[in-house]
Structure formats: structure tokens, C-alpha cells
Amino acid sequence: MIVVDSSVWIDYFRAKETTATRFLRTSSIESHILIGDVILLEVLQGAENDRHAYRMESWLRSFRIQGMAGANLAVAASRNYRILRAKGITIRKTVDLIIGTFCIEHGHSLIHQDRDFNPMSEHLGLKIVET
């Protein structure tokens, strides 16, 4: 499965042309896309109003949506945070640590536009989709 981070979805819904949004629009990966509940939260909290949120949610629900956190993942994410911190790297957002660890633990790839994921790829084995 391929997890698409909120950093890509936000640009996608704003019709912003980036390599990641272009990849999302032109590739045939729809059946392989997974949206995490925390990603859904991040995208919908940025909606202009309830109507806008409803339209985005309706469309995003056409993909597989899955819970990302839980006790075991929280422990794994905290371990990953400590591993990176020992290397002098601080992940800025806990939600990114959850998303990255979820992908690592489940063998999923990630499409993103957020620098927090790069050290997870380099030091923890997070698989990144090249766009």
C-alpha cells in the first residue's frame, strides 16, 4: 500500500502543481492508496468550512482509511524518536512520527512533501515513493 501524507493532499486540493501532486494525478495508484485517520484529520481540519470539509471527506472515503496509532505503534514511534534523537535529529511533529512509524511497521511506502520524513527514510528504513 501507499500512504499519501497530508502535505501532498493539501496541495492536491489546492490544485498546487508539485512533483507529488502531479504523480498523484497522473499515475494509476488509486487502488493502492491508504489514508491514515490522522492524515484525514490533518486534511479536514484545514477545510474552509463544513461544506468544503464534507466534499473532501466524501472523496477521500473512496480510498481505504485505516487507524494509525495504538499502544504498540506508540511504543515503536517513541523508540524511533529516541533513535533519531541519539543521532541529533529531532522530528518536529508527533503526527509525522506516527505516520512514518506506521509505514515502517506495516511495510507501506509513503508519498510526502515534508522534511520530517527524510531522516526516517535514511535511518529507519521508511520507504519513500519517488515522484
Side-chain angles (χ1 to χ4, degrees), residues 6 8 11 28 47 69 79 84 86-87 89 94:
S6 57
V8 177
D11 284 348
S28 56
R79 182 182 61 246
L84 293 173
K87 296 179 179 298
I89 300 163
T94 300

Side-chain angles (χ1 to χ4, degrees), residues 69-83:
N72 291 338
L73 194 102
V75 170
S78 68
R79 182 182 61 246
N80 286 341
Y81 183 86
R82 289 190 306 276
I83 290 168

Side-chain angles (χ1 to χ4, degrees), residues 6-131:
S6 57
S7 59
V8 177
W9 286 121
I10 290 166
D11 284 348
Y12 181 88
F13 283 118
R14 290 180 178 164
K16 187 174 179 182
E17 189 69 20
T18 67
T19 57
T21 60
R22 190 176 315 109
F23 178 81
L24 202 53
R25 282 188 178 95
T26 60
S27 65
S28 56
I29 62 166
E30 292 86 10
S31 64
H32 300 288
I33 290 177
L34 181 143
I35 299 174
D37 57 350
V38 295
I39 294 169
L40 182 64
L41 166 66
E42 286 187 312
V43 172
L44 294 180
Q45 73 186 10
E48 299 166 6
N49 53 45
D50 286 345
R51 184 176 174 190
H52 184 224
Y54 177 79
R55 284 194 325 264
M56 288 192 302
E57 179 187 353
S58 295
W59 190 76
L60 289 170
R61 284 191 178 274
S62 67
F63 301 103
R64 179 177 165 199
I65 297 177
Q66 184 173 338
M68 294 186 118
N72 291 338
L73 194 102
V75 170
S78 68
R79 182 182 61 246
N80 286 341
Y81 183 86
R82 289 190 306 276
I83 290 168
L84 293 173
R85 186 180 60 196
K87 296 179 179 298
I89 300 163
T90 302
I91 301 300
R92 299 170 299 143
K93 295 180 278 181
T94 300
V95 71
D96 289 346
L97 192 62
I98 291 167
I99 293 165
T101 301
F102 174 85
C103 290
I104 293 165
E105 294 292 309
H106 295 286
H108 301 317
S109 298
L110 179 69
I111 299 174
H112 73 93
Q113 296 177 146
D114 187 324
R115 68 181 182 187
D116 273 344
F117 295 112
N118 296 332
M120 289 186 240
S121 175
E122 183 179 343
H123 300 287
L124 301 173
L126 174 62
K127 295 183 285 188
I128 303 296
V129 174
E130 298 299 324
T131 56

